[in-house]
Amino acid sequence: MTDDSVPGTVLLLDAASLWFRAFHALPESITAPDGRPVNAVRGFVDMVASLITRTQPTRLAVCLDLDWRPTFRVDLVPSYKAHRVLEESAAGPDAEEAPDALGPQVNLILEFLTAAGIATAGAEGLEADDVLGTLAATERRDRVVVVSGDRDLLQVVADEPVPVRVLYAGRGLAKAELFGPAEVAEKYGVPTDRPGPAYAELALLRGDSSDGLPGVKGVGEKTASSLITRWGSLEALLAAADSGDTDLAAGMRAKLAAAREYIDAALPVVRVVTDADILWSKSDDLPTEPVDSGRLDALAAELGLENSAERLRKAMARGR
């Protein structure tokens, strides 16, 4: 077993983060016999098989965005993911800009998961991050490994009541880094007594162009880290700024004052929800064999992905 493979592990996957990475990691020239691109399907299924083998989970949930741009976040920070909106919708979630060849493959991925008997989880009006945050925060039985290419999820790391680790796959699974509280504190220079919440506060100050969060003007990651470390928390930092504490440079007090409206609005935007009402497709217990083997074989043959299906089948059998 590797250091991220221990008995009693629940594996939580950030679905969209992983299938976007699968799509971009493999060429669209990977097609089904009928010519449809299946690069994302192949990459995603292979990643799931690899992660099962690596972490040996007893439970597994693939977490979905039922709303990739929740209304409450947009109401607080209108720029939130605005640059990724393809088409606004009054009836439901806005359409997200994505490669044309990816959309149809998402449904095929979900078919693979259903045939295999792997659970999906979502929450109405919320992102996968919120589903992952809720499941990590409410787990009382098994160790948790969250897999995502989104650094925002580093805020969920914990040691109690159960260990929660984040396998950050921003550069692909081969270069994925496993983060716990100690690793987050060391890499990002945040307080060791509250590294998860402190990382969220650092991200707020730093900003994130990929999510449309401007951050505080003139404050980059290193400055944000030093501020959170020096004052211990965003709350204490703002209290120092409001009181005119001379231990905080006048120029920084001015920057925080100028960005105060953004800071106050952005904190609940950056923090993941930890009390979402989770909608499950099935139990998250990971079966040792596909629940619908015939459907899995037929789907694999239809898409020319027999090898990927076999890798998944073997991983499920070996993982228990």
Side-chain angles (χ1 to χ4, degrees):
M1 290 185 178
T2 64
D3 60 354
D4 50 336
S5 167
V6 297
T9 293
V10 54
L11 180 62
L12 304 176
L13 307 185
D14 183 355
S17 172
L18 296 182
W19 64 51
F20 266 96
R21 277 162 178 76
F23 178 84
H24 290 294
L26 296 175
E28 289 183 50
S29 57
I30 297 175
T31 58
D34 63 7
R36 285 178 291 169
V38 291
N39 54 323
V41 185
R42 174 177 153 182
F44 187 89
V45 173
D46 285 351
M47 279 195 284
V48 173
S50 175
L51 287 164
I52 292 172
T53 300
R54 177 171 179 167
T55 61
Q56 301 284 288
T58 53
R59 296 157 57 204
L60 169 60
V62 176
C63 301
L64 307 175
D65 289 316
L66 296 192
D67 189 341
W68 66 279
R69 192 172 180 248
T71 300
F72 84 92
R73 290 191 167 106
V74 176
D75 287 346
L76 289 166
V77 180
S79 63
Y80 183 67
K81 295 186 178 180
H83 60 295
R84 290 157 55 181
V85 175
L86 178 64
E87 183 178 352
E88 294 185 354
S89 171
D94 294 335
E96 183 179 10
E97 189 173 35
D100 292 340
L102 175 59
Q105 295 189 63
V106 170
N107 290 332
L108 296 173
I109 289 170
L110 296 177
E111 285 191 50
F112 253 94
L113 296 175
T114 298
I118 294 173
T120 60
E124 290 292 344
L126 293 173
E127 300 175 62
D129 285 12
D130 302 311
V131 179
L132 292 157
T134 295
L135 294 178
T138 57
E139 182 59 45
R140 296 293 183 271
R141 173 160 59 101
D142 292 333
R143 178 178 185 266
V144 176
V145 176
V146 173
V147 184
S148 176
D150 185 351
R151 286 194 299 171
D152 289 343
L153 283 162
L154 294 175
Q155 66 184 279
V156 307
V157 297
D159 283 327
E160 298 292 342
V162 298
V164 178
R165 302 293 182 259
V166 173
L167 188 62
Y168 173 63
R171 297 185 296 162
L173 283 188
K175 297 181 179 179
E177 299 175 84
L178 188 69
F179 284 90
E183 290 78 15
V184 171
E186 180 180 0
K187 186 172 180 93
Y188 293 98
V190 292
T192 57
D193 61 334
R194 52 187 303 274
Y199 179 81
E201 294 166 1
L202 177 152
L204 181 155
L205 293 172
R206 176 197 65 205
D208 186 343
S209 59
S210 68
D211 282 342
L213 296 174
V216 175
K217 188 174 181 179
V219 175
E221 187 164 292
K222 289 184 178 180
T223 300
S225 170
S226 65
L227 289 170
I228 296 298
T229 299
R230 167 66 180 83
W231 299 98
S233 69
L234 179 63
E235 181 180 11
L237 171 64
L238 294 177
D242 291 345
S243 68
D245 191 327
T246 55
D247 285 342
L248 183 63
M252 183 55 64
R253 294 200 304 269
K255 289 176 182 179
L256 293 172
R260 190 55 181 267
E261 184 177 352
Y262 157 75
I263 293 172
D264 291 342
L267 192 55
V269 174
V270 173
R271 285 177 174 161
V272 298
V273 172
T274 57
D275 60 353
D277 185 10
I278 307 298
L279 304 174
W280 292 94
S281 64
K282 61 174 291 293
S283 163
D284 66 349
D285 290 332
L286 179 63
T288 56
E289 60 184 23
V291 297
D292 192 341
S293 187
R295 177 55 186 149
L296 185 67
D297 289 343
L299 186 60
E302 176 189 341
L303 301 179
L305 297 177
E306 293 92 343
N307 289 340
S308 293
E310 184 60 21
R311 279 190 282 271
L312 179 60
R313 191 188 300 272
K314 288 181 177 179
M316 291 170 67
R318 183 167 58 243
R320 297 294 293 273

